[in-house]
Amino acid sequence: MRPEIIIKFNGYVLLFNAVFLLLAASISFFNTETSALPLLFSGLICIIFGLFPFIFVEDQDDITFQEGLVIVASSWLITCLIGMLPYVMWGGEFSLINAWFESVSGFTTTGSSILNDIERLPGGLLFWRSSTHWIGGVGVIMFVLLILPHAASSRLTLLNAEMSELSKYNFRYKARKIIRILAIVYVGLTLAETLALFASGMTLFDAINHSFATIATGGFSTKNLSIAHFDNLGIEYILIFFMVLSGLHFGLLYRTFTFQKENIFTSATVRNFVFILFLGVILVSAKLYITGVYDFWNSIRYGAFQVVSLGTTTGFANADSAHWPAFTHIILIYFTIQCAMVGSTSGGLKFDRVLLFFKSLKKQLILLQHPKAVVVVKLNSRNISDNLEALTLVFIILYLFTLFMTTLVLTFFDVDLYTAFTASVATIGNVGPGFGEVSSLANYSTIPGIGKFMLSINMILGRLEIFNIIALLMIRKSSV
């Protein structure tokens, strides 16, 4: 293991964060806000610590996979630590643990907040908060690889460390091409949504912040009531459209935009995902209408938005779902566990894995009846190897076990069971809102400090898809 390589990459990450911190500081200076100096000092700290390795450590190629794992994990850790600096320096509701929670929630695109009064934050700090979503959406290492020249082998190593095997499934390109595709789709969607929201009545500032949060499937809003604040049907339709797009595989989106044969309209996985999402909308809306919670059209309006928001791990809210019937809660919790597709910016278990699980189940049932049969599991007409199949099943078990353990720890600290369970589901899935005390229009401020720390670890585990953390621990064990 060569520490100098890890330090150098962490330096790049700090410099990249500095760009957004200085942009946020500029907004604060322009508006003469109290967050100007905290943001400026945080940016300068990033520049100073980022420049040292940039100047004094020589570039080295051929990064090993172990080094790649450490670079990815340490870059996330450093980014989250730097992200909390302006919050701590500014003060307000940001104690040390609250600042850490908000920073991790932003970069992992979870969107859970400890803030009781979001609108009290200065504009610069709101912009930084949304920027953490946008930086974390495709991963800060991806941006570094896009901007800086590196050998193909190093790019491939870091890409393998950042993305799961299943996420690379529909990217049949070289590493550099994959990174460019991610950037093109990511930036393109952000620009398109910003223009659409601005044209629909949002201010340019709100449009940019909400686009950052949508395309990264994060969910931080600039308003206390989230999207309910705007009470604008056009804005909600635009958000639903871009939330769905952001929950699809970016490789398939790129092929759709470039008019290639294999695209989101020909993908069986996309069709299945959209169908399940549509079914969820129908079930939730029907229950809301039958039980008289809303009239017919408002049942569809609020049901559709909440299902898509949680089903894509975005976490925006246009209504308070805390008092909806239990049936709707169960449907929404299912989508909080399932989440959207691999290769997107969403977190969670991912729909592709759920689909693969049921295909594997079908295969095992066939093999029980016909032990000598040759059964191959396919996704989008491509064969899935036995190794990838087994890896997916292990991931699902590990994911559910982690969720159970977090719930157990939270209940030890007297968090009620419903809040503990749904908070665990919402954080490991990088979704944001749960139910109980952490419902759609509430926040995580009442969770005890140790609970907030546990949930922030949950967010990181969910964002790095657990395996990378375990692989890191195994490196350490093997080196002892």
Side-chain angles (χ1 to χ4, degrees):
M1 188 80 67
R2 293 167 293 178
E4 64 273 16
I5 292 181
I6 296 158
I7 292 170
K8 180 126 190 173
F9 268 91
N10 285 332
Y12 294 148
V13 168
L14 288 173
L15 291 175
F16 187 78
N17 275 289
V19 173
F20 284 86
L21 280 164
L22 295 180
L23 274 175
S26 304
I27 293 171
S28 283
F29 273 114
F30 182 78
N31 294 320
T32 58
E33 296 169 343
T34 53
S35 59
L37 289 179
L39 287 164
L40 178 63
F41 288 147
S42 302
L44 291 176
I45 289 171
C46 282
I47 290 173
I48 292 167
F49 285 96
L51 276 178
F52 275 116
F54 186 75
I55 295 170
F56 297 109
V57 180
E58 291 182 4
D59 282 330
Q60 297 187 49
D61 292 326
D62 300 326
I63 298 168
T64 66
F65 184 67
Q66 287 80 2
E67 288 167 344
L69 282 176
V70 176
I71 287 170
V72 169
S74 61
S75 68
W76 277 99
L77 182 62
I78 285 177
T79 296
C80 290
L81 285 170
I82 282 297
M84 66 187 280
L85 275 183
Y87 298 144
V88 172
M89 285 193 253
W90 184 74
E93 293 185 68
F94 291 117
S95 63
L96 202 61
I97 186 63
N98 281 354
W100 164 255
F101 185 92
E102 200 78 2
S103 177
V104 174
S105 180
F107 282 113
T108 58
T109 71
T110 306
S112 305
S113 179
I114 51 80
L115 292 169
N116 289 294
D117 189 1
I118 295 167
E119 292 171 40
R120 185 170 168 256
L121 292 186
L125 217 50
L126 282 173
F127 178 79
W128 169 242
R129 190 165 166 264
S130 302
S131 297
T132 58
H133 270 343
W134 203 73
I135 294 169
V138 290
V140 65
I141 282 293
M142 291 293 182
F143 282 115
V144 170
L145 290 177
L146 178 72
I147 296 167
L148 298 173
H150 287 97
S153 59
S154 298
R155 275 197 301 271
L156 184 61
T157 303
L158 287 170
L159 190 70
N160 286 334
E162 176 77 28
M163 295 179 76
S164 72
E165 197 60 36
L166 204 57
S167 295
K168 295 194 287 285
Y169 201 64
N170 276 308
F171 285 113
R172 287 183 297 175
Y173 304 102
K174 291 182 178 179
R176 188 172 185 81
K177 178 82 172 175
I178 292 175
I179 294 161
R180 281 184 179 174
I181 287 174
L182 283 170
I184 290 169
V185 174
Y186 198 59
V187 174
L189 288 177
T190 306
L191 289 174
E193 190 190 349
T194 300
L195 291 174
L197 290 176
F198 182 57
S200 298
M202 272 194 186
T203 64
L204 183 59
F205 181 77
D206 282 337
I208 291 171
N209 280 281
H210 285 89
S211 296
F212 278 10
T214 310
I215 306 306
T217 59
F220 277 163
S221 174
T222 54
K223 307 297 179 187
N224 289 330
L225 293 178
S226 189
I227 303 306
H229 169 90
F230 299 98
D231 193 23
N232 183 318
L233 203 55
I235 287 174
E236 290 170 21
Y237 282 141
I238 290 168
L239 288 171
I240 287 175
F241 177 71
F242 281 98
M243 284 192 288
V244 172
L245 284 185
S246 303
L248 303 182
H249 196 289
F250 276 24
L252 288 174
L253 283 178
Y254 177 79
R255 289 179 181 172
T256 307
F257 298 146
T258 52
F259 306 105
Q260 296 184 42
K261 187 177 179 182
E262 190 179 2
N263 55 53
I264 58 172
F265 300 109
T266 59
S267 165
T269 308
V270 172
R271 281 201 301 274
N272 287 324
F273 170 66
V274 173
F275 172 75
I276 296 295
L277 212 55
F278 182 70
L279 187 62
V281 170
I282 296 294
L283 290 173
V284 170
S285 301
K287 186 64 181 175
L288 291 174
Y289 177 64
I290 290 168
T291 51
V293 179
Y294 302 112
D295 61 27
F296 180 76
W297 290 112
N298 277 327
S299 295
I300 295 175
R301 174 186 178 182
Y302 296 126
F305 191 91
Q306 294 299 117
V307 168
V308 172
S309 180
L310 298 191
T312 57
T313 77
T314 310
F316 283 141
N318 69 340
D320 186 1
S321 58
H323 306 294
W324 288 6
F327 175 82
T328 64
H329 283 199
I330 293 171
I331 298 287
L332 291 173
I333 289 171
Y334 169 75
F335 279 105
T336 306
I337 295 173
Q338 175 200 276
C339 306
M341 291 182 65
V342 297
S344 68
T345 54
S346 76
L349 203 52
K350 305 273 176 41
F351 174 75
D352 307 61
R353 289 195 178 95
V354 177
L355 187 62
L356 188 52
F357 166 78
F358 282 108
K359 285 177 179 277
S360 296
L361 179 65
K362 183 182 176 184
K363 172 184 170 183
Q364 293 306 319
L365 290 174
I366 292 173
L367 288 174
L368 277 176
Q369 294 174 328
H370 309 284
K372 293 184 179 178
V374 178
V375 186
V376 178
V377 172
K378 293 185 176 184
L379 272 182
N380 280 332
S381 305
R382 290 182 202 155
N383 294 350
I384 297 293
S385 68
D386 289 343
N387 183 46
L388 186 53
E389 206 179 323
L391 201 64
T392 300
L393 297 178
V394 170
F395 179 86
I396 291 173
I397 294 169
L398 197 58
Y399 187 92
L400 296 177
F401 179 74
T402 308
L403 194 161
F404 169 77
M405 290 304 294
T406 313
T407 305
L408 187 68
V409 172
L410 287 178
T411 52
F412 180 80
F413 292 101
D414 298 326
V415 178
D416 71 86
L417 179 59
Y418 198 35
T419 301
F421 175 67
T422 57
S424 303
V425 171
T427 49
I428 195 170
N430 302 136
V431 177
F435 290 99
E437 294 181 20
V438 294
S439 60
S440 55
L441 295 183
N443 57 65
Y444 285 68
S445 61
T446 59
I447 301 290
I450 185 71
K452 287 174 188 167
F453 182 73
M454 284 295 302
L455 292 174
S456 65
I457 298 301
N458 234 17
M459 296 175 203
I460 295 173
L461 283 173
R463 187 64 182 80
L464 293 179
E465 301 209 325
I466 306 175
F467 275 139
N468 282 352
I469 301 294
I470 293 175
L472 266 179
L473 296 175
M474 290 181 71
I475 291 172
R476 185 179 176 183
K477 186 177 178 181
S478 63
S479 65
V480 172

